[in-house]
Amino acid sequence: MGTVTIGVSIAVPEPHGSLLQERRAGFGDAAAHGIPTHVTLLPPTEVDSAALPAIEAHLVEVAAAGRPFPLRLSGTGTFRPVSPVVFVQIVEGAEACTWLQKQVRDASGPVARELQFPYHPHVTVAHSITEEAMDRAFAELADYEADWPCTGFALYEQGADAVWRKLREFTFGGTVVPPQPTHVERGTLPTR
């Protein structure tokens, strides 16, 4: 059947997801429109396409064991000089993201794998662009804030066109936290 490249992540909901994706594109990141704004739980991983049903079953179990949690973004950070990435920081919910990614990559599961770098939950807003553009992303999003109740995650597949497409969503077991009203100024950025 062949192989596919998959990833598992928490989607950044609207209006925050589109806003950060547009900002990422505006900084010159050519891949921005092919990557939904997200918090990675499983980085791009090549798997045999015949393994997808087992992977989905595993993710159903992970989601059933999870519980909704608040996720809050605030300010920027960077992995430079080790990796050419600028990101928006997760200041609430990082422990839950870390627990989830460990469950997804569990050694007894179908997508067990080692990571290239220690896990650090974040939302990428610039990757492999000029240093000037990275500095701009870091400065312009320094005051960015957004928050929402995280109620699950999704499985994505990268197409031959390098665009990531959602295959399936997985909702956490237990009580689902309803979305909280967001003030208009939260998650918005000043225009230049």
Side-chain angles (χ1 to χ4, degrees), residues 37-120:
T37 308
H38 67 282
V39 177
T40 300
L41 298 177
L42 175 73
T45 302
E46 191 172 303
V47 299
D48 189 308
S49 57
L52 285 175
I55 292 168
E56 288 189 24
H58 171 66
L59 296 176
V60 166
E61 290 179 12
V62 171
R67 296 293 176 262
F69 61 92
L71 215 155
R72 186 164 65 94
L73 308 178
S74 182
T76 51
T78 185
F79 294 132
R80 295 183 292 173
V82 176
S83 181
V85 173
V86 171
F87 56 87
V88 175
Q89 298 186 74
I90 295 176
V91 296
E92 185 176 6
E95 287 181 19
C97 292
T98 300
W99 179 85
L100 276 171
Q101 67 86 30
K102 284 180 185 175
Q103 304 312 303
V104 169
R105 296 184 309 101
D106 186 79
S108 66
V111 284
R113 67 166 283 186
E114 294 297 317
L115 298 178
Q116 182 179 2
F117 300 106
Y119 183 73
H120 183 276

